[in-house]
Amino acid sequence: MKRFFLSILTALITGTVSFAFPGEGTIRWNAELVPVSGNEFEVVLTGNILDGWHTYPYGDEAGMTGIDFILPEDAVLVGTPSEEGGFTDYKGENVIEGEHVIRQRISFSGDHKVSGIITWQSCKGDECHMPEEWEFDIKAEITATSASSAISTSTVSEKQSSTGMWRLILEAILWGFAMLLTPCVFPMVPMTVSFFLKGSEDKKKGKAKALAYGAFIVLLYTVPICAIIGITWLIGGESVTADIFNWLSTHWLPNILFFAVFMAFAASFFGAFEITLPSKWTNKADKNSDRKGLLGVFFIALTLVLVSFSCTGPIVGTVLIKSTEGEFWTPMVTMLAFSIAFALPFTILALFPALLKSLPKSGGWLNSVKVVLGFVEIALGFKFLSTADQTYHWGILDREVYLAIWIVCFTLLGFYLLGKLRFKNDEPLEYISVKRLALAIAAFSFVVYLIPGMWGAPLKALSGYLPPMETQDFISGAYSKSGANAGGPTLTIAQGLKAYDNIDDALEAGRMAGKPVFVDISGHGCVNCREMEARVWSDSRVREILDEEYILVTLYTDDKTKLPESKWITTDNGKVLKDVGRVNSYIVREKFNVNAQPNYALLDPQTGGLLAPVRGYNLNIEEYIKFLESGL
């Protein structure tokens, strides 16, 4: 009480009062609604106190931390709040520094939502702020399935998949810029400049046409994929769209088709033959580009997209396939990023046609770019074959075989850059430029980095692109398949860990062992899953917790292993799911309200309920350890 009156007196004398708004003040608060069991949830208020400041525990006295809960009519508080944090002594008073966590259990009968206001007072030494406050409003939803009871909550962190999304966007942007230097695209530069030079007299109209040109390029790349996603969503909702993209990214047919396309394009880039679209298409588009107004601008953009297809097609396919591992709208975002980056240089040239003078003339260097791209196409193409190999357990492209192909491929690229290899359309190379030498050094350095992987080095930087470590003979001694009838922890997953292949068996094992269940929502062809396993699970602390404190279950959502009829699942719309991947995809959508991998869930073995919000792709090891400890 003395502290409270002193703070008011200080404010009156100095004429300054501190008012706190959401996200500001001496404590940064975060609110979560965490499932406990049945209809019982726990509000977790976590406050990070600014350095040098301290606050006071929960209580009814003036100056102490307080909470006013606003609940639905059918919800009641269970017990009293508990609190954790950096408790310490300051001049005989019990204070909190660093972190202040307050927990309050609530029982719901209807809507699972709660709001309220938390008030507190903070001091720095003997100087105290006026009381501050922060409002919160959180909600969760329960979803039950026939397989086992589990809870999904809408309080899952919004940033759980943002890292993976931004990485895909960045990769798409880089590919979009790189396409300008390909032999199919670069020759379109003079055509673009000559078209816009004709109308450069009227600068205002010229700029409008140039901007429209860029917009048309973006639309021609983005609208088709958006239309496909939109139509499938209207027909069957998110699950149908997700199933289509899951099929596209994991089924053997599209993966083998993309592999064959990449190998064909690589052979073309090496000079074996030329790949072009029917001349009728490009000639018609080029002819229509002579029309005036925006229609002519549209057709010049269409000509660019059609002519450049032989180079951009495989890269567009790569961008789309990789992005289908995320939520169903991810392909639209990544394709938008790719098309904007691809269209930007042409838009700039259309705005300022005189810039063409500063660009290098086409010649032998373009063929060299073509050959280099051919080597890259081979390396990328084998990723599709690897995906099919993993999801169908063919066992033909294990990790060391995959690495051997890459090592040979990039070694040959290094020799080519040094002029030791020549292809059909290459001009004689009299000397090595500094740029080619730098690229050759990069290629050989990459090969040197790859070689230890043949003997089991993790190669963390490439973990998302390589087959999993457990497929390597030098490590595991045998290829570990995931089967539908394992009946026990017989799956060998990353870091040599053992896992069950279905939730029911894992929950039963958890009840017998008195341990919570760790659910690994993964995929054989999932790039982000491999990266999490190589960069996060490889940490000794993480591996120890997983190995000793949890019962593990891995749900591969792209596994094509056929199930016996007794384990088939019939969905609400009458669709019968007959293989491991489809059943697992359905289970994780219904139980955990997620439709991507990787995701990780911690379950109470007694109730099957979530012990913490589901966690997605995030490479922060310390946060991952906190997530695992929250389930213990």
Side-chain angles (χ1 to χ4, degrees):
M1 185 68 70
K2 176 183 176 183
R3 181 182 67 255
F4 180 70
F5 286 116
L6 280 175
S7 64
I8 294 178
L9 181 61
T10 302
L12 291 173
I13 293 173
T14 60
T16 60
V17 179
S18 298
F19 294 96
F21 299 93
E24 299 180 359
T26 56
I27 303 181
R28 305 295 192 265
W29 288 97
N30 178 60
E32 289 182 302
L33 194 54
V34 180
V36 178
S37 63
N39 287 327
E40 193 169 299
F41 281 66
E42 187 173 64
V43 176
V44 182
L45 297 166
T46 304
N48 291 309
I49 306 169
L50 295 182
D51 290 342
W53 291 81
H54 62 260
T55 189
Y56 296 86
Y58 179 84
D60 296 328
E61 295 183 16
M64 299 189 75
T65 301
I67 309 174
D68 290 325
F69 288 103
I70 303 173
L71 304 175
E73 292 182 0
D74 51 5
V76 293
L77 298 177
V78 179
T80 57
S82 63
E83 57 185 333
E84 309 159 11
F87 286 91
T88 187
D89 179 86
Y90 180 77
K91 294 186 177 180
E93 289 189 286
N94 190 26
V95 301
I96 303 173
E97 298 177 344
E99 185 178 73
H100 190 185
V101 181
I102 302 176
R103 302 175 183 271
Q104 171 66 61
R105 292 199 175 192
I106 301 175
S107 178
F108 296 93
S109 299
D111 291 339
H112 301 74
K113 61 182 180 180
V114 59
S115 58
I117 301 175
I118 182 169
T119 58
W120 73 95
Q121 184 175 18
S122 296
C123 301
K124 192 172 187 178
D126 292 329
E127 178 188 347
C128 297
H129 267 199
M130 286 292 288
E132 304 172 67
E133 65 179 36
W134 183 73
E135 298 182 12
F136 58 91
D137 187 2
I138 46 181
K139 180 180 180 181
E141 298 174 354
I142 288 184
T143 303
T145 66
S146 58
S148 343
S149 63
I151 304 172
S152 65
T153 173
S154 61
T155 60
V156 177
S157 172
E158 295 179 0
K159 68 177 183 178
Q160 66 178 24
S161 61
S162 61
T163 305
M165 167 66 81
W166 281 110
R167 189 180 67 171
L168 285 171
I169 291 174
L170 178 61
E171 188 172 334
I173 290 172
L174 293 176
W175 277 120
F177 285 132
M179 286 301 97
L180 178 65
L181 299 177
T182 59
C184 324
V185 178
F186 195 81
M188 288 297 298
V189 172
M191 182 177 176
T192 296
V193 172
S194 62
F195 178 85
F196 285 95
L197 275 174
K198 296 175 185 177
S200 59
E201 296 82 9
D202 190 331
K203 292 185 177 180
K204 189 175 181 179
K205 287 186 177 180
K207 289 183 178 180
K209 287 184 177 180
L211 295 174
Y213 179 53
F216 284 139
I217 295 173
V218 172
L219 291 173
L220 286 167
Y221 272 107
T222 309
V223 167
I225 189 65
C226 292
I228 293 172
I229 294 174
I231 291 171
T232 57
W233 186 84
L234 288 173
I235 292 173
E238 272 188 41
S239 60
V240 173
T241 305
D243 285 342
I244 289 175
F245 279 115
N246 181 271
W247 180 88
L248 183 64
S249 62
T250 62
H251 195 274
W252 70 267
L253 181 59
N255 277 284
I256 294 298
L257 180 61
F258 273 106
F259 170 72
V261 167
F262 269 64
M263 296 304 108
F265 275 96
S268 173
F269 291 163
F270 292 148
F273 47 83
E274 286 293 328
I275 296 179
T276 57
L277 286 174
S279 58
K280 185 187 298 185
W281 295 6
T282 53
N283 290 340
K284 189 171 183 180
D286 185 40
K287 182 179 178 181
N288 286 320
S289 68
D290 292 333
R291 297 183 180 183
K292 294 182 179 180
L294 291 181
L295 189 60
V297 176
F298 171 79
F299 278 107
I300 190 68
L302 179 61
T303 302
L304 169 63
V305 172
L306 292 176
V307 170
S308 63
F309 175 79
S310 60
C311 286
T312 60
I315 304 305
V316 168
T318 300
V319 171
L320 286 178
I321 287 292
K322 290 190 66 177
S323 63
T324 56
E325 295 167 1
E327 300 292 347
F328 78 100
W329 47 266
T330 309
M332 293 187 284
V333 178
T334 51
M335 184 48 58
L336 179 64
F338 171 86
S339 58
I340 289 174
F342 179 72
L344 185 60
F346 286 95
T347 306
I348 293 174
L349 287 171
L351 285 168
F352 310 102
L355 289 177
L356 178 64
K357 297 178 182 178
S358 62
L359 292 176
K361 304 299 180 183
S362 60
W365 70 274
L366 264 182
N367 192 71
S368 296
V369 171
K370 202 173 185 179
V371 171
V372 170
L373 188 61
F375 282 110
V376 174
E377 296 256 304
I378 290 177
L380 292 176
F382 273 94
K383 174 59 182 171
F384 295 105
L385 181 60
S386 174
T387 298
D389 179 61
Q390 293 297 312
T391 56
Y392 286 88
H393 312 297
W394 296 335
I396 60 175
L397 199 61
D398 292 349
R399 193 171 185 268
E400 68 273 12
V401 177
Y402 191 97
L403 279 171
I405 294 171
W406 272 36
I407 288 170
V408 172
C409 182
F410 286 101
T411 299
L412 292 175
L413 173 58
F415 283 129
Y416 172 77
L417 292 168
L418 292 176
K420 302 302 181 182
L421 289 177
R422 279 184 58 190
F423 289 88
K424 180 180 177 181
N425 298 320
D426 281 327
E427 296 178 355
L429 194 63
E430 297 180 4
Y431 63 91
I432 301 296
S433 67
V434 174
K435 292 179 181 178
R436 288 182 75 111
L437 178 62
L439 290 174
I441 292 173
F444 284 123
S445 299
F446 185 57
V447 170
V448 172
Y449 173 77
L450 291 175
I451 290 174
M454 295 291 290
W455 287 270
L459 305 181
K460 292 184 180 181
L462 296 172
S463 55
Y465 298 90
L466 303 177
M469 185 71 77
E470 56 266 25
T471 68
Q472 184 155 345
D473 292 337
F474 296 120
I475 299 299
S476 62
Y479 186 83
S480 175
K481 296 183 179 181
S482 71
N485 301 308
T490 57
L491 296 185
T492 301
I493 57 176
Q495 309 300 321
L497 296 168
K498 295 290 186 179
Y500 286 83
D501 63 2
N502 67 89
I503 288 181
D504 290 331
D505 286 348
L507 288 173
E508 178 63 26
R511 285 190 286 270
M512 294 180 64
K515 294 181 179 181
V517 174
F518 174 89
V519 184
D520 169 31
I521 302 168
S522 185
H524 293 294
C526 170
V527 173
N528 290 342
C529 303
R530 301 294 84 77
E531 191 166 11
M532 284 291 295
E533 293 161 2
R535 296 193 178 195
V536 179
W537 287 21
S538 61
D539 184 89
S540 60
R541 296 167 296 169
V542 173
R543 192 190 182 288
E544 182 179 357
I545 295 174
L546 290 175
D547 191 32
E548 298 181 4
E549 304 293 340
Y550 281 95
I551 297 296
L552 274 56
V553 54
T554 294
L555 301 180
Y556 287 111
T557 59
D558 57 3
D559 195 314
K560 305 304 179 183
T561 304
K562 297 300 180 182
L563 285 165
E565 188 171 352
S566 60
K567 295 193 175 182
W568 292 357
I569 287 182
T570 302
T571 64
D572 294 338
N573 60 9
K575 186 177 181 180
V576 180
L577 309 177
K578 301 180 180 181
D579 62 51
V580 173
R582 289 178 179 273
V583 167
N584 286 341
S585 294
Y586 175 77
I587 288 173
V588 299
R589 282 201 302 267
E590 294 297 310
K591 280 181 173 294
F592 308 120
N593 196 30
V594 296
N595 194 32
Q597 64 267 17
N599 269 291
Y600 308 99
L602 309 179
L603 301 184
D604 182 336
Q606 302 299 329
T607 65
L610 284 172
L611 297 171
V614 177
R615 183 178 179 83
Y617 174 84
N618 190 318
L619 296 177
N620 188 306
I621 294 175
E622 299 302 325
E623 288 185 8
Y624 201 81
I625 292 174
K626 289 181 180 179
F627 164 69
L628 294 176
E629 290 177 342
S630 69
L632 302 177

